[in-house]
Amino acid sequence: MMKKLTLLPAAVLLVLSTANQAGEYPQNPVVRPLTLNQSTIELTGAYFYGKQHDNDHDSILAANMSYGLTDNLQLALDGITYSFLKNKHSGLELAVKAGLSGYYDDKNGDNLGLGFSVLGKQIINKNFAFTFGAGYTHWNLDNLADRSEYDYSVGMLMNIAPQLTLSAQYTYRDLKDFAQSHANSTTVGLNYAIEKNIDLGLVVSYSDYNEQTNSYALLETPEAATGLYINYRF
């Protein structure tokens, strides 16, 4: 059964902003930076329905909140992101992120994943961009030996109609001290930018990570899932 991902309460400062620059954040997802503009708050809500490898089905509600402390530094409930390179001439942006990769509790106790990653985006033109990244997660487990993983991702963003953006991402997970040595996941999404500060989206994902094979459900990653989300910025 899929469990709700719990986010650490990491950002009291999110509600302290007096400036408001959400209107300056691009409506077009292809050209959006990896971090929010200074003093912009983004609220995200999502609903997912998924199938596990044992054919169990369940749904999940998820939420996040992000705040642009500066144009290059973003705080969120799941971590901190810092954009250290923004080359407007070439369209290349690089950022680092550190924070919570996941938390859940099961029969084995509390399980906490802390991670660090490097994120990248290469804008080709206003209608197409590549995305890429690499990260490391350490899983601190109460009653099992700690585990870790490295992940590597490549993806793309492409505008297929006015205000409608198609996204796709493939991730390879190099698993350490798991029964599986590696796992693969693919995600495809469709984002509708209703206006500058509101997005509606549909996401479909598949993963061959098998929680039964690996003795417990690390975040209970579903074999297949479909989700709906909304983003609101102000």
Side-chain angles (χ1 to χ4, degrees), residues 16 60 70 85 116 120 128 139-140 149 166 181 194-195 198:
L16 299 183
I60 182 172
T70 72
L85 174 65
F116 175 85
F128 189 83
W139 292 99
N140 187 6
E149 65 174 280
L166 176 69
S181 62
I194 299 177
E195 50 188 72
I198 301 178

Side-chain angles (χ1 to χ4, degrees), residues 33-60:
L34 296 174
T35 53
L36 294 170
N37 291 348
Q38 182 177 0
S39 301
T40 296
I41 296 174
E42 182 176 71
L43 305 177
T44 299
Y47 169 82
F48 294 94
Y49 183 78
K51 180 181 81 71
Q52 305 300 106
H53 284 81
D54 61 359
N55 291 318
D56 185 22
H57 291 75
D58 206 348
S59 58
I60 182 172

Side-chain angles (χ1 to χ4, degrees), residues 170-219:
Y170 165 76
T171 300
Y172 175 84
R173 298 170 61 188
D174 183 12
L175 304 172
K176 307 298 182 183
D177 299 316
F178 290 77
Q180 285 179 260
S181 62
H182 66 276
N184 305 276
S185 64
T186 304
T187 303
V188 177
L190 199 59
N191 187 92
Y192 177 47
I194 299 177
E195 50 188 72
K196 268 203 166 185
N197 63 332
I198 301 178
D199 299 318
L200 287 178
L202 171 69
V203 177
V204 178
S205 66
Y206 173 81
S207 173
D208 64 2
Y209 175 85
N210 190 315
E211 63 277 359
Q212 282 79 35
T213 299
N214 289 287
S215 302
Y216 69 103
L218 179 60
L219 293 184

